[in-house]
Every structure is written in C-alpha cells, then in structure tokens.
C-alpha cells in the first residue's frame, strides 16, 4: 500500500520524532537526522503521543502479549475436535483471546502490564500456562513466536481527539479498539484538518478524563488489575 502513495507524499521510515514544538509560523518536529516543519501536524501515535507532550495526564500505555505455537502434529490437531480455523474472544476485558489458525497453530493473547514491557521469560511461562489449562490433552506446548503490543487507555474509555492546538490534530487513546476506532477517528480527523464538517465525536464518544499523577496512577492500576484479574480468573 505504501507504494501506492502519490508523488506529493514523502514518507520517512525508521525516523522517530523526538520532540514537537510550535514556532511563530509553524510546527516543528525534531528527529535524530533533522527537522521537519509544517503548518499542520496530525499526531496519531496513540499512547506515545504523551512522549511529545500531548495527553500525558489522560492516556497510559498498556502492553498486552501474544504467542503462537509451531504447527501442531496431526495427532494433536485431532484432539481439538475440529478441522476448522476458529477464534474466541473473552467475555471479560482481561481475559484471553484464542485462535486456531488455518495452518494448524494455536495463538493465545493475554496479560497486561503498565507502561513498560515485562520480561519474555515470565510472559512465555504465563501464556503457556494459560494455553495448557484450556487444552490439557495436548501436553506441553512450545511457542515459535512471542510478541507484545502497546494500547492507549484512558480513564473513561473516551479518546483524546480533535484539534488540540491550532494546526495540531490528535487522535490517541483507542482503548483496545484500534482497528475500528482508529480507522473511524483517523478518517474524521483528516476531514477535520481539511476544514470539512464532521460529526461531534465528543458528543458520541466523550472526552478522555484527567488521571491522577504518579505514584497514585500506577498504584491504582495495580489495585484494579488484581481485582479484575481475580474476576477474570477463569478466562486468563
């Protein structure tokens, strides 16, 4: 898809933005290799917007984890009782997502950590335990791949969205619905930046509420996480 961009668009990969500030006439992004100046900036990096000074009191980064087994042997697949690929979503938000892929693998997505990634060894062990509780008939399962992803969460599930300052358009805080909300909010934000009429996003989805500063924020997360994990124990 990137190859289909028009000639008027330039992209810079592997170029992190380290700071963003406003001058008298434009916004200026600093990168390790230079600076980019623009009258308009669209900031759509979810929880990492706060690294550029946006939404720090309203968005936190939550990391969740997934692992994928190697293709299972035919005898193990027979024990699953189905030849079809499938996917299961948890009823509780802290529960585990499960999938059987078309090539006979099992995928599990579960666990959360606050603002930083946990160690691979601990995560792998916990995900193996989660998978084996569900499929004890398969014995010990080994993962071929293990990865994590960051999600931007707000206190009340509402986004940080809109023209944050003149010429600076922001969409952050997908709250775990990035594919759906990210597409919707991104399209509406582009229309807003072009001066088009858009629906009242805040009337529909609300505004992200203020969060208390550290250390109260992390203490609150740990307390609520333990409570919710206990409620979701059968689904983790």
């Amino acid at each position: 898809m990137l190859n289909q961009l028009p000639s008027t668009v330039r992209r810079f990969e592997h170029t992190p933005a380290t700071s963003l500030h406003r001058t008298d006439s434009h916004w200026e992004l600093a990168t390790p290799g230079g600076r980019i100046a623009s009258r308009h900036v669209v900031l759509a990096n979810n929880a990492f917007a706060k690294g550029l000074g946006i939404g720090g009191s309203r968005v936190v980064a939550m990391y969740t984890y997934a692992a994928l087994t190697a293709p299972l042997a035919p005898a193990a697949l027979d024990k699953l009782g189905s030849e079809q690929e499938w996917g299961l979503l948890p009823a509780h938000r802290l529960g585990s997502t499960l999938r059987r892929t078309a090539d006979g693998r099992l995928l599990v997505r579960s666990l959360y950590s606050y603002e930083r990634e946990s160690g691979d060894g601990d995560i792998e062990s916990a995900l193996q335990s989660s998978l084996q509780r569900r499929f004890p008939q398969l014995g010990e399962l080994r993962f071929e791949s293990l990865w994590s992803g960051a999600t931007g969460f707000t206190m009340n599930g509402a986004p940080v969205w809109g023209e944050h300052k003149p010429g600076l358009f922001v969409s952050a805080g997908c709250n775990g619905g990035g594919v759906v909300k990210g597409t919707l909010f991104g399209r509406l934000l582009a229309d807003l930046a072009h001066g088009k009429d858009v629906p009242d996003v805040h009337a529909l989805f609300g505004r992200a509420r203020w969060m208390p500063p550290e250390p109260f924020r992390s203490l609150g997360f740990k307390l609520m996480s333990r409570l919710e994990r206990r409620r979701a124990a059968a689904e983790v």
Side-chain angles (χ1 to χ4, degrees):
M1 184 175 291
L2 291 177
N3 294 330
Q4 304 302 315
L5 291 174
S7 59
T8 53
V9 175
R10 298 174 65 192
R11 74 177 188 269
F12 299 90
E13 297 181 345
H14 308 294
T15 306
T18 56
S19 68
L20 172 68
H21 73 275
R22 177 77 185 181
T23 70
D24 291 338
S25 60
H26 60 264
W27 288 95
E28 192 169 278
L29 274 167
T31 76
R35 295 178 179 271
I36 299 173
S38 177
R39 288 180 299 169
H40 298 89
V41 171
V42 174
L43 191 61
N45 58 347
N46 209 12
F48 302 109
K50 60 185 181 179
L52 296 175
I54 308 299
S57 63
R58 300 178 188 276
V59 183
V60 297
M62 303 277 284
Y63 289 86
T64 189
Y65 304 88
L68 185 68
T69 69
L72 301 182
L77 291 174
D78 288 343
K79 295 178 181 179
L80 292 177
S82 172
E83 297 181 359
Q84 303 296 322
E85 57 183 299
W86 46 259
L88 297 173
L89 297 177
H92 193 283
R93 61 180 177 175
L94 291 190
S96 300
T97 300
L98 297 169
R99 292 176 186 168
R100 174 181 167 170
T101 65
D103 60 347
R105 303 169 187 262
L106 288 177
L107 180 147
V108 57
R109 195 282 319 149
S110 190
L111 310 177
Y112 287 94
S113 60
Y114 175 80
E115 290 287 359
R116 65 178 61 186
E117 294 176 281
S118 299
D120 287 351
D122 293 338
I123 293 300
E124 182 174 12
S125 177
L127 291 179
Q128 284 177 337
S129 176
S130 177
L131 202 57
Q132 288 168 351
R133 284 199 305 273
R134 290 168 169 80
F135 305 108
Q137 71 273 29
L138 299 181
E140 186 175 1
L141 294 168
R142 292 294 179 182
F143 294 129
E144 189 173 86
S145 301
L146 176 72
W147 66 95
S148 67
T151 299
F153 278 90
T154 61
M155 176 75 79
N156 57 341
V160 176
W161 188 93
E163 189 170 13
H164 183 74
K165 293 181 180 179
L168 177 60
F169 299 87
V170 179
S171 181
C174 70
N175 290 279
V179 174
V180 177
K181 289 183 178 179
T183 301
L184 172 64
F185 292 163
R187 174 61 183 271
L188 293 178
L189 197 65
D191 287 344
L192 181 67
H194 281 87
K196 297 181 180 180
D197 292 331
V198 299
D200 189 339
V201 170
H202 296 302
L204 294 170
F205 295 94
R207 296 177 183 270
R209 288 172 51 189
W210 174 85
M211 294 184 184
E214 298 292 358
F216 305 105
R217 187 183 301 183
S218 59
L219 289 173
F221 165 78
K222 292 176 182 178
L223 178 62
M224 290 303 298
S225 179
R226 288 182 180 179
L227 177 61
E228 292 298 317
R229 280 182 63 83
R230 177 174 294 182
R231 291 174 175 170
E235 292 195 75
V236 174

